[in-house]
Amino acid sequence: AKFYFAPKDAKGRTVRVGRRVRVAGMPDLSGIKDARSRREVTAVFRHVRGRCMKVRSFSRYGFADLHFKILKGPLAGWHSIEIEPALLLVQKER
């Protein structure tokens, strides 16, 4: 099966590698069956919601790849997430 996402943000703007994006939504995480894993992944996505970061790359299915560091708390450390481009908002160039 091919799950391909167009590189378009929530407003239909093109998402490109290197562009700053704001995480505007939460993906559906109900497919994660292990409750502990789902709690951790949900907490990571809650942490990044509303924040801006650069798109590092795209997965072969069209997910945007974001890397970031959580500074404090039980999830402190480097994280990498893949998220549907439609859950992002491209930010204006500075």
Side-chain angles (χ1 to χ4, degrees), residues 61-76:
Y61 298 115
F63 289 94
D65 190 23
L66 308 174
H67 297 260
F68 55 92
K69 189 174 189 178
I70 296 177
L71 299 175
K72 295 183 196 146
L75 297 171

Side-chain angles (χ1 to χ4, degrees), residues 12-92:
R13 294 174 295 204
T14 301
V15 180
R16 290 187 175 87
V17 171
R19 286 299 303 266
R20 288 180 60 76
V21 293
R22 182 178 303 279
V23 178
M26 285 276 289
D28 176 13
L29 302 172
S30 62
I32 302 173
K33 297 299 178 216
D34 179 57
R36 190 165 158 214
S37 296
R38 189 171 49 240
R39 270 196 310 275
E40 185 174 319
V41 172
T42 300
V44 169
F45 274 100
R46 279 202 187 114
H47 176 83
V48 295
R49 192 168 55 194
R51 294 175 191 256
C52 290
M53 53 196 60
K54 279 189 180 174
V55 175
R56 292 292 187 108
S57 62
F58 283 94
S59 76
R60 65 184 184 153
Y61 298 115
F63 289 94
D65 190 23
L66 308 174
H67 297 260
F68 55 92
K69 189 174 189 178
I70 296 177
L71 299 175
K72 295 183 196 146
L75 297 171
W78 284 97
H79 294 269
S80 177
I81 59 170
E82 289 186 348
I83 189 168
E84 297 95 320
L87 296 174
L88 303 172
L89 287 169
V90 172
Q91 301 299 292
K92 286 187 171 70

